[in-house]
Amino acid sequence: MSREGAEYALRARADERDRISGDLLDLESHTTYQLLKGSNLRGATQQRWVAAQAALATLWGLYDAYRSVLRDAEQIRAGRGRLGADELAELTALLAGRSVVLKAAAKPVEQRSLLPEADERLTMDETVTRMDAAFREVTATLTDIDAAWNACLPRLDDADAQLRAIHDLQVELGESLDLTQVETDLKRLRGGAIEDPLGSPPSAAELDRIARLLSGSRTDLERALQVKREYGRRREDLVAALDRVRAAESEARLAHGQVVAKIALPPQASPRSRAEDLAGRLDALDLSADTWLNRSSRLTALEGDTAQALQQAQATARALYGLVSRRDELRGRLDATQAMAVRRGRAEDRAAVQAYEQARVLLWSAPCDLTRAADAVDLYQRAIHGGGR
């Protein structure tokens, strides 16, 4: 090397040493590295971590040998203001030659021989390349473990938070759910995630199942607590809703009484009352010694059934009155078709007259058979239109 080349190489190696030192310090202060140092690992993760630790030990050994050579080079340069030929030759040998000595590792006695083990000599560039390979092996292990933890630990933390919230709700409600199996499963999954994230991570399906179960349990408790707080008001609302059901069912019975005299109805068209059955369920709920968890579902179901009964009674009344409207509409169609027959000069047609009379008798009979009457009106229209519509 020239004097300028040696000066440049020495400065470059010093910068390289400082950068490598910073990277090594960052590695050992990495959160995942610190967690792994104190963890009881097993399985695939333990195997990867043992290999990573070996790579890290090799890395530090290489770094110490590299730094020792560089320290010798810096001492030579600091000894004189201007490098002489001898100093330049020494610097060149250190910076460009195979100056990094790796002592032969001690072997178990069964692997030794009586011949001395040769030390390995590397250039500084070769040493940096080996350090980089070891560094990458360690960081790859940390990256894989960190990714596995990030995939499951937040979800496990969420599940634990749900459990704490459920516990608080149970205390407030004064009732509890049996979540022993869930707690056991969570403990097992967290153990696998911490001790062997690469080999025994919780599956997404297991985490989904627990999340659904905890979410459902929390919802049940919140609903039960809400029912406990609001039972008096919701009971009053139910009593009022039952009164509306009775009124709507009374209207449906009135409609049936009026319509059955005019329109032929099947037996199943008679309105059925649900109000008393619903009222009986409310009384049973009042007298129940059941838990609020069960009472909340019963109350919610009763509220839904009451709303459905009201809609059904109202729809029944509308449908019954609609049958009379349907009869009146058919009467209007019959009259309109007869007027058309007169305009077309077909009012006296024998087939048309017979069809008209049949439809008229059906529509003005009580009770009216709507199905037969509608068919008769259609038959009359076809007769007037010459077989078409």
Side-chain angles (χ1 to χ4, degrees), residues 269-290:
S270 179
R272 292 184 300 167
S273 175
R274 297 180 59 191
E276 296 314 310
D277 174 66
L278 295 169
R281 287 169 59 184
L282 179 57
D283 291 339
L285 195 57
D286 287 338
L287 299 174
S288 174
D290 211 347

Side-chain angles (χ1 to χ4, degrees), residues 29-294:
S29 63
H30 192 279
T31 302
T32 303
Y33 178 85
Q34 293 296 322
L35 289 172
L36 288 168
K37 280 176 62 177
S39 297
N40 294 320
L41 302 176
R42 56 183 171 83
T45 306
Q46 183 185 38
Q47 294 174 6
R48 282 287 299 277
W49 181 234
V50 167
Q53 286 180 307
L56 187 58
T58 298
L59 174 54
W60 275 110
L62 289 165
Y63 179 66
D64 287 341
Y66 171 92
R67 188 173 54 179
S68 177
V69 171
L70 186 56
R71 185 167 55 247
D72 291 344
E74 289 175 332
Q75 288 175 351
I76 292 171
R77 177 63 189 87
R80 297 187 60 174
R82 178 178 174 79
L83 293 173
D86 292 341
E87 290 82 9
L88 184 59
E90 287 184 70
L91 275 179
T92 299
L94 290 172
L95 297 174
R98 293 187 175 278
S99 55
V100 180
V101 179
L102 299 182
K103 296 294 183 181
K107 294 182 178 179
V109 67
E110 66 272 13
Q111 297 179 13
R112 299 176 192 171
S113 73
L114 296 179
L115 299 176
E117 294 288 339
D119 295 335
E120 187 176 8
R121 304 184 70 90
L122 303 173
T123 66
M124 298 191 81
D125 283 338
E126 290 171 341
T127 304
V128 172
T129 298
R130 286 201 188 182
M131 284 193 288
D132 182 62
F135 184 83
R136 289 177 182 275
E137 181 178 352
V138 177
T139 55
T141 299
L142 295 180
T143 298
D144 291 346
I145 294 174
D146 198 42
W149 276 347
N150 286 335
C152 62
L153 289 183
R155 298 195 64 185
L156 290 171
D157 291 341
D158 288 343
D160 287 337
Q162 284 275 49
L163 267 178
R164 290 192 296 271
I166 287 172
H167 175 73
D168 292 341
L169 287 169
Q170 290 178 146
V171 171
E172 187 174 358
L173 183 64
E175 299 173 6
S176 61
L177 297 170
D178 184 6
L179 297 175
T180 305
Q181 187 59 52
V182 178
E183 293 172 348
T184 300
D185 290 344
L186 271 178
K187 184 177 180 180
R188 171 179 56 81
L189 293 176
R190 185 173 288 278
I194 295 296
E195 297 173 3
D196 190 13
L198 299 181
S200 304
S203 69
E206 285 184 298
L207 293 172
D208 289 343
R209 176 183 63 82
I210 289 178
R212 285 193 301 270
L213 195 153
L214 290 175
S215 177
S217 298
R218 183 172 181 174
T219 298
D220 290 344
L221 286 165
E222 288 173 340
R223 182 171 58 239
L225 190 58
Q226 184 177 15
V227 168
K228 183 179 180 180
R229 293 168 178 166
E230 300 176 352
Y231 186 76
R233 177 188 60 77
R234 290 172 69 171
R235 187 191 183 286
E236 291 179 0
D237 291 344
L238 257 177
V239 170
L242 286 171
D243 287 341
R244 291 193 293 273
V245 171
R246 291 187 184 95
E249 289 179 348
S250 177
E251 178 64 23
R253 288 192 295 272
L254 178 63
H256 182 269
Q258 293 178 357
V259 171
V260 74
K262 302 175 181 179
I263 308 295
L265 298 175
Q268 60 268 28
S270 179
R272 292 184 300 167
S273 175
R274 297 180 59 191
E276 296 314 310
D277 174 66
L278 295 169
R281 287 169 59 184
L282 179 57
D283 291 339
L285 195 57
D286 287 338
L287 299 174
S288 174
D290 211 347
T291 64
W292 283 108
L293 283 164
N294 290 332

